[in-house]
Amino acid sequence: LDGYSGIYFDISSTVTIQNLVVDNAGQFAFNLRASGLDAVANIVDTTVLDSSSNYEAPVQAIVYSASDQLDFNVVRSAFVGNYNAGGNGGGALLMFSEGGAVEATVTDSYFVGNSAFYSGGAIESYGGHLTVLNSTFSNNSATGDPEATGGAISTYYAAILHSTFVDNIASGYGNGLYVYAGGAAFVENSIFYNDSENGSLDIYAADV
């Protein structure tokens, strides 16, 4: 799919997006919205690249109601060279929850050269839980604002397992991982290696 402007999914059961290459999407590639407690969205063996927007992340998993929940799974997928200039954050993925919950798991995936203006150069997880397994984040950035956070990931709650973060940068805090105030993160058997000289820590928790 080359140069298209995106698809909305209103999900009450299970939706799987598989074996696609999305190049140069317009406003966004996929907007995944939960409707009910049994919503599941899977992105499998899919590549999203060179997509940019002045408003939103290329892929969005969203819960607007306390009566809704979304299980969001990204498996063996790649996100390369995407850009989000909007206020919601997430150069590649945005998980946003307002009342309900987005339970997100990213497995065996790659995030390379993505950027966001304010936060989450690759991933912004706001109000949900994020688990990252066996994934690589390289050369992602959040540098549009002097206080931008999370060169790779900005999140409230995260578990990072067996993953690698290399040469990500934030102009404010957390070159690799930024944890919002009131949140928590668990990191195990993972590598954070950043060559930036901006003085920001690779992992930054606002409460610490």
Side-chain angles (χ1 to χ4, degrees), residues 139 165-169 175 192-198 202:
N139 290 291
F165 294 71
V166 179
D167 294 336
N168 303 290
I169 184 171
N175 285 326
F192 285 77
Y193 179 78
N194 298 95
D195 286 338
S196 74
E197 299 178 356
N198 66 343
D202 287 346

Side-chain angles (χ1 to χ4, degrees), residues 75-148:
V75 182
R76 296 186 307 274
S77 293
F79 300 82
V80 181
N82 301 292
Y83 175 62
N84 175 15
N88 286 330
L93 302 180
L94 168 66
M95 284 77 85
F96 180 83
S97 175
E98 212 174 60
V102 178
E103 302 293 334
T105 303
V106 175
T107 307
D108 297 328
S109 294
Y110 293 86
F111 296 79
V112 180
N114 303 287
S115 59
F117 192 91
Y118 289 109
S119 59
I123 297 176
E124 170 85 7
S125 178
Y126 188 89
H129 296 82
L130 170 66
T131 301
V132 177
L133 304 169
N134 302 317
S135 294
T136 298
F137 296 78
S138 176
N139 290 291
N140 302 287
S141 62
T143 56
D145 184 270
E147 299 296 314

Side-chain angles (χ1 to χ4, degrees), residues 2-6 22-29 48-53 58:
D2 188 355
Y4 85 118
S5 59
V22 179
D23 187 2
N24 190 31
Q27 184 177 350
F28 60 87
V48 179
L49 69 157
D50 296 331
S51 298
S52 62
S53 173

